[in-house]
Structures are given as C-alpha cells and as structure tokens.
Amino acid sequence: MNECRKVIVKVPATTANMGPGFDCFGCAFQMYNTLTFEVAENGYTFDGFEPQYENEDNLAIQGYHAVSDYLKAPRTGLHVSIHTDIPICRGLGSSSSLLAAGAIAANVLCDGNLDKDELLNLTTRIEGHPDNLAPCLFGGMTASMMVDGRPVTVRYFISPEIEFVALIPDFEFPTSAARAALPKALVYQDAVFNISRGGVLLKALENGDERLIRLAMDDRLHEPYREMLIQGSDTAKRLARECDAMGFCLSGSGPTFMCLTKDPEFLVRIREKVAEVFPSWEVRSLAVDYRGASYQKLFS
C-alpha cells in the first residue's frame, strides 16, 4: 500500500441509450456524486448511504474490489462516505457512478497504474454493459461495443447549442425490472430501424441538426416495453411535444425522461407544464460533462 490512504472521487451522472443506441450510447452530465474512500484496519463503514447499502454488496465496494483483486492487493478495511446529487434508480447512472468511483479509488490506494480503458473493462464485467460506465469514466458522449468480452469506446462531442432537460419522477424504477420487461427476441425490421437511426443521430448531435435529431431519436428495441411500466410516460411525452422538444427519450431504463432542445425558452415552458401535472417531479437542465471521473489524493 502506498502512502496515500484517502482519496476523493468525483463521478458524473449519465444517460444511456439516447433513443436508438440501446446498450451502446451514453452521455455524461454536470451532476455528480462525490465519494471519499479511506483505508481502515478492517471491515467496512459508511457515511451518507441508506442502511441497505452499508455492506460489502455496495457497488462502490464491488468496484473497489474488482480493481484491488486484479492488482493482487491485500484486502483491507474501508470507510466510504458519499455526497450524492444523482438520484437512485432513476435512469441517471447512479449505479455506474458507484462502480466507477470504487474502481478509481482502488487504482489510487492500491498503487495501481491502470488507465481508464482497463478500469472500464473491469467494471463492465460487473455491470454487464458499458453504456453508462464509459461516459462516467471518460466524459462526453460515448458509443461503445463489446469485442471478445472487452468494451471498446469512442467519444463524441455534442453541439453546444443543444440543451438536455431531464424530467425526473419522484419514484424509482429498478434496472432489474426494466430488463425483465424486454422481449426475448427482436423483429429484424426493428433492429434495422434502430441501427439506421443510431448512425444518423451521432452526426446530428455533433452538428446540432434539429431536423435530423427529430427524425433519428426514436427507438423500437426497449422504450415501447418499458414505457408501459412507467406511470406518467404518455403524459410526459405529450408535454414534451407540446413544448416542441426536438428530441425525447427514456434516460437509460427510466423512469427519467430526457428532452433535447435548442430553444432557450423550453426549460421555462416544460417546468410550468410538468408542475401542473406532476408537482413532485423535478425538471432539471443538464450540461454535458467532458471531463469524466476525477480524483484527488489526500495524504495523512
């Protein structure tokens, strides 16, 4: 163990899928969880977590051990504290943020020299897919694929004219339930539908091409099945259309919905409409984060 026994890790919220990019596309936002990891003599202690997460099944601990075991570092105790701004089970990457934070902390505290590509690989083994983890670690918008069991990721920049506005419900929708809602097989035409729109969407977001975004930000692989389970989904979609959102999709597996706009007045309009129907929902403008996960060493 090196002389650094404490590290602060800052990890961004993310959205995944972005319409047609199921399990492939993701984007990081300037909304963060900040976790502090400190080496302890033995056992695990926590601050800021709900009681059901104060154990070794905590995803931050899982991410930590994925890296520390890979580095063949001896297991020690840990004290983990969190200041959270990313809502849990809302489709904004809270689980991936914990995995990424733990992996980064272990790389620092166990004197590792792993780059973010390897950290992505190790954490994807736990998460199963890299769509949230990739933007969380690297920042920006990412498109990822799996090759021989390893994630391969490329980054994209999004036109600064585009504003993301999240409609965040006041209830959770666990990823496990969202996965269970998906069909076991796909119609060939639906797969082609998504592939074609995904290819167009990447360029449209880069150029800020409103016409193409309106045409391309559609999905047939997961949203129709998940939206049926999310209370208020039809109303949220109607409100976004009334406010003339140029793009609308589930954020990850939901229940948050993501609107895209270039209209500076959109945020005011959608907030007013959502407040009338869903007064306990949060409407939040989210700027893209291009830095990704970061850390600060603390020396005793």
Side-chain angles (χ1 to χ4, degrees):
M1 187 68 63
N2 63 21
E3 60 180 317
C4 177
R5 297 179 60 83
K6 190 173 183 180
V7 61
I8 299 174
V9 187
K10 185 177 181 181
V11 280
T14 52
T15 189
N17 303 326
M18 300 180 71
F22 179 62
D23 276 6
C24 303
F25 295 171
C27 186
F29 296 119
Q30 294 178 32
M31 177 167 68
Y32 303 94
N33 281 347
T34 303
L35 291 89
T36 301
F37 296 79
E38 185 171 10
V39 176
E41 289 302 318
N42 51 60
Y44 306 107
T45 55
F46 302 86
D47 281 325
F49 291 92
E50 295 182 12
Q52 64 266 35
Y53 302 119
E54 294 184 342
N55 52 63
E56 61 183 318
D57 292 329
N58 184 299
L59 289 173
I61 299 295
Q62 290 189 38
Y64 189 97
H65 285 319
V67 171
S68 65
D69 290 349
Y70 179 83
L71 295 171
K72 295 181 171 54
R75 290 200 175 190
T76 66
L78 282 174
H79 177 72
V80 185
S81 61
I82 186 171
H83 174 77
T84 180
D85 195 27
I86 305 174
I88 296 172
C89 292
R90 298 296 203 283
L92 290 167
S94 61
S95 296
S96 293
S97 76
L98 298 182
L99 282 172
I104 290 169
N107 197 36
V108 174
L109 296 176
C110 298
D111 204 19
N113 193 31
L114 304 179
D115 60 20
K116 285 186 175 182
D117 286 308
E118 192 56 53
L119 296 179
L120 176 62
N121 177 46
L122 293 172
T123 51
T124 297
R125 294 179 186 177
I126 301 172
E127 183 83 340
H129 41 88
D131 50 353
N132 284 106
L133 282 164
C136 183
L137 286 165
F138 293 102
M141 180 177 175
T142 60
S144 304
M145 61 182 180
M146 298 297 293
V147 179
D148 296 329
R150 290 183 62 96
V152 177
T153 295
V154 293
R155 295 180 70 206
Y156 292 86
F157 284 88
I158 295 177
S159 168
E161 296 179 301
I162 296 174
E163 179 183 9
F164 290 82
V165 178
L167 314 182
I168 308 173
D170 59 342
F171 54 85
E172 298 181 0
F173 186 44
T175 302
S176 57
R179 286 274 162 186
L182 300 180
K184 302 300 182 184
L186 296 173
V187 177
Y188 186 86
Q189 290 88 339
D190 289 346
V192 174
F193 180 96
N194 271 55
I195 291 169
S196 61
R197 279 153 182 77
V200 171
L201 182 61
L202 291 171
K203 194 65 174 179
L205 291 171
E206 181 181 47
N207 292 342
D209 190 321
E210 182 171 344
R211 182 185 72 87
L212 288 180
I213 291 171
R214 289 180 182 274
L215 292 172
M217 202 162 190
D218 203 358
D219 168 79
R220 290 184 180 176
L221 300 188
H222 75 107
E223 289 188 354
Y225 309 100
R226 289 169 167 173
E227 286 177 353
M228 291 189 295
L229 302 179
I230 300 174
Q231 183 179 2
S233 60
D234 288 341
T235 302
K237 187 178 293 187
R238 174 177 59 80
L239 296 179
R241 287 173 176 167
E242 289 176 0
C243 293
D244 199 29
M246 68 178 181
F248 179 86
C249 64
L250 271 180
S251 180
S253 58
T256 292
F257 297 95
M258 196 66 66
C259 303
L260 276 69
T261 183
K262 293 171 73 175
D263 181 355
E265 301 301 320
F266 176 85
L267 180 62
V268 173
R269 293 200 305 273
I270 195 69
R271 270 189 174 149
E272 290 176 350
K273 286 186 173 291
V274 169
E276 292 175 359
V277 184
F278 304 116
S280 58
W281 285 28
E282 181 182 5
V283 177
R284 186 160 179 173
S285 177
L286 297 173
V288 177
D289 170 286
Y290 284 106
R291 184 180 184 186
S294 60
Y295 67 87
Q296 176 187 359
K297 294 180 179 180
L298 297 177
F299 296 92
S300 56

